[in-house]
Each structure stands twice: as structure tokens, then as C-alpha cells.
Amino acid sequence: MAFIIDGKKIAAEIKDELKQKVTKLTEDGVAITLAVIQVGNDPASSVYVGNKKKACEYVGINSLSYELAESTTQEELLSLVEALNADAKINGILVQLPLPSQIDEDLVIKTISPTKDVDGFHPQSVGALSIGQKGFISCTPGGVIQLLKRSGIPMEGKECVIIGRSNIVGKPMALLMLRENATVTVCHSRTKNLMEVAKRADILIVAIGKPLFVTKDFVKEGAVVIDVGIHRDAENKLCGDVDYQDVLEHVSAITPVPGGVGPMTIAMLMNNCVEAVTKSK
Ligand code: NAP
């Protein structure tokens, strides 16, 4: 029987551990403040931002909201980010993506001070990760590592195949698995014989952005499957990039959707906010 990796429970454990740390910091007179910027009112972004603020409240982190109009110019957003960079009371800056088309996302990310880059998207954070130096780790891939570690799933020496090479999931995921001494293969839309490559995996991490794409034909008997995807199916129910029911009997462990990787992203954001005051980046 497959072991179901309970992301909700592990995320709750992490948030409880952080809450204890934050209580101690507060007793020592150290406050943590996260600035959350949302441009426009995309409903999905509003839900994500709302969940992040709720998590801050739970852990004991102050969150300051900046809700800007859809028509905000690039200059206006950049000057807000620069003001927050210069404000010593702000420890973390999060700009909810995607941004409206008049704004260059890469430029905004680059403008955030690397010392406050709690999303881990700044080129300096990504570069530091790639050469094994200190820096913030992108929350979703960081969450996957915690899921594996806290479920007692060894990574060292394992064949890990990652499907997807995006800057926010696939690429940092590959660097983190390398850091854990896995043997890593990264697949993308030009990969030949994807099924055969995926079937080599002891640990298969799927971040392809296509609902129910990965079936049992992609999975080696006894593999661990981590599903990063989030979608709504035809009945408006949440599902992942993996056809969970189809692969379930073939795997040794798997993350469900919902309740797998999703809750970990916010827990790791909280972790990065705490690290912003406890570790120099
Ligand atoms: P993305 O930027 O769209 O990247 C998708 C990747 O999959 C690309 O590298 C693409 O290859 C590859 N790909 C697409 N079709 C393929 C195919 N037929 N065969 C092989 N590779 C293929 O997506 P993302 O931002 O990484 O997100 C992936 C999924 O994770 C989405 O469902 C997203 O909603 C979800 N997500 C969840 C969380 C969370 O908190 N749980 C966080 C972030 C993302 P190319 O590079 O060649 O185009």
C-alpha cells in the first residue's frame, strides 16, 4: 500500500515550530515584518495573498499589505519596493505574481533586496543556491525537500527525475536534489522518450502544469511520486499533474492534491521570513 505523504500535517508541524521560534524572538524584542504587495485584484492572487497573511498571523509575523491598482506603473511599483528595501523594520518583501503586462516582473524581482527576498526568486538567491552558498530558497521546491526529509524518504544516491524546468519550480528543485546527493535528470517539452526517462526515477517530481498528465506508464514500480501541479478538473475539483488514482497502486509513496505540496509553499515562506532575521543571507 502506498504511503500518502501528508503535506497538510507536515506544513502544520513546520508552522508550529516557527511559532515557537517567533515567540522566543518576540520575548527577546525581535519583531518580524513581511511586506506583501499585490497589484490588481486577480481572484486567485487574492486567495494566495489572503492565505499568506493568515499564516503570518498564526506564526506571529506582522504582515503589511500593499494593495495597488491594476493600472500601477512600473516606476510606482519599483519605488515602493525601493522604499521597503530601505525600511529597516521590513524583513521580507513579497510581490505576488503574476504582475500586469505593463510591469517587467524580472526587473521587479531584481529590485528586491536579496536580504529580503523571502520568495527566493532574486538572481542572487538562485545563484547562491547553484554554488552552495547561503541564500533564500524558493518556497515550493524547498517544501518538497522538507516533505521527503520529514517522511523519512532518503534522497542520497537515488535516481531523481524532475519533469519541468521553470525558474520557480523545476530548476531550483534540481539544484536542491543535487544538494541532497540525488542523481538528477531534468525533463522538459523537448525531452525525447519522456515515459522511459521518467520510469528510471526512484523519486519522480512532476511540475509540468498539465492536469493528470502523468499516468502509471511514467512510473517505475515502487517509485516515490511528488506532484507539484495544481488545477481544477471538469467538476471544479482540485487535481494535480499526476493521475493519482491511476498511479496509486504502483508507487511506494505519493503526495495527494490537495494536501500535498500546496500547503508546504506557505510554510516555507514563513520559514524564510524567520530566517530573514535569524540568519544573515
Ligand atoms: P511552467 O512554468 O508552465 O513550466 C512547466 C514546465 O513543464 C516547463 O519546463 C515545460 O517545458 C515543461 N513541459 C510542458 N509540457 C511538457 C511536456 N509535454 N513534456 C515535458 N515537459 C513539459 O509551470 P510551473 O510554474 O513550474 O508550475 C508547474 C505546476 O506546478 C503548475 O500546475 C503550477 O500551478 C504548479 N505550482 C504549484 C505550486 C504549489 O505551491 N504547489 C507552486 C508553483 C507551481 P519547457 O521549459 O520546454 O517549456
Side-chain angles (χ1 to χ4, degrees):
M1 259 255 295
F3 172 66
I4 312 301
I5 301 172
D6 189 343
K8 226 172 146 183
K9 181 165 155 258
I10 295 172
E13 272 166 26
I14 292 173
K15 282 189 280 181
D16 283 339
E17 290 164 16
L18 293 169
K19 190 178 176 148
Q20 282 184 15
K21 276 193 193 169
V22 173
T23 306
K24 276 194 111 187
L25 286 166
T26 310
E27 283 164 9
D28 295 342
V30 179
I32 309 176
T33 302
L34 171 68
V36 182
I37 305 174
Q38 184 181 355
V39 184
N41 42 20
D42 170 61
S45 291
S46 300
V47 171
Y48 290 134
V49 164
N51 289 341
K52 288 168 187 176
K53 287 195 236 165
K54 249 190 256 165
C56 281
E57 205 175 309
Y58 181 78
V59 170
I61 294 169
N62 306 314
S63 67
L64 293 183
S65 286
Y66 296 85
E67 286 159 19
L68 309 184
E70 182 82 26
S71 57
T72 301
T73 64
Q74 180 163 292
E75 288 61 38
E76 286 166 337
L77 179 55
L78 292 179
S79 56
L80 172 59
V81 170
E82 277 158 6
L84 295 168
N85 281 343
D87 185 341
K89 292 189 296 299
I90 303 292
N91 309 103
I93 302 171
L94 184 152
V95 180
Q96 184 64 41
L97 304 179
L99 291 169
S101 57
Q102 72 275 16
I103 299 174
D104 177 349
E105 276 184 11
D106 288 343
L107 183 57
V108 174
I109 290 168
K110 251 192 333 207
T111 305
I112 296 171
S113 164
T115 61
K116 301 187 180 186
D117 172 40
V118 285
D119 256 337
F121 294 161
H122 192 285
Q124 188 171 311
S125 306
V126 180
L129 173 62
S130 74
I131 56 171
Q133 291 185 355
K134 277 195 224 163
F136 289 109
I137 288 168
S138 174
C139 301
T140 302
V144 171
I145 297 291
Q146 285 302 314
L147 282 179
L148 292 167
K149 281 194 171 161
R150 289 173 184 249
S151 303
I153 295 168
M155 291 169 263
E156 183 160 324
K158 300 291 177 189
E159 285 283 346
C160 172
V161 175
I162 298 163
I163 311 183
R165 58 171 167 183
S166 70
N167 290 340
I168 60 163
V169 187
K171 282 186 196 138
M173 191 72 251
L175 292 168
L176 287 169
M177 289 304 286
L178 264 184
R179 202 167 76 170
E180 298 298 331
N181 298 316
T183 302
V184 182
T185 304
V186 183
C187 301
H188 45 78
S189 63
R190 315 289 169 86
T191 298
K192 296 211 164 60
N193 304 323
L194 182 63
M195 272 183 194
E196 281 71 41
V197 179
K199 265 192 166 152
R200 296 206 300 252
D202 301 311
I203 302 173
L204 179 64
I205 302 177
V206 189
I208 189 173
K210 294 190 186 315
L212 311 179
F213 184 92
V214 168
T215 59
K216 61 177 182 296
D217 299 331
F218 290 74
V219 180
K220 179 171 81 175
E221 196 73 40
V224 173
V225 174
I226 304 290
D227 187 355
V228 181
I230 308 180
H231 312 274
R232 295 246 167 220
D233 68 11
E235 290 153 21
N236 205 31
K237 278 209 246 130
L238 287 173
C239 69
D241 287 348
V242 175
D243 187 337
Y244 182 85
Q245 290 305 334
D246 195 56
V247 306
L248 194 56
E249 278 183 22
H250 291 256
V251 301
S252 58
I254 187 166
T255 55
V257 178
V261 176
M264 294 300 290
T265 301
I266 291 183
M268 297 314 288
L269 172 69
M270 298 299 107
N271 183 65
N272 281 350
C273 291
V274 173
E275 286 197 352
V277 301
T278 55
K279 291 190 184 163
S280 57
K281 293 288 177 187

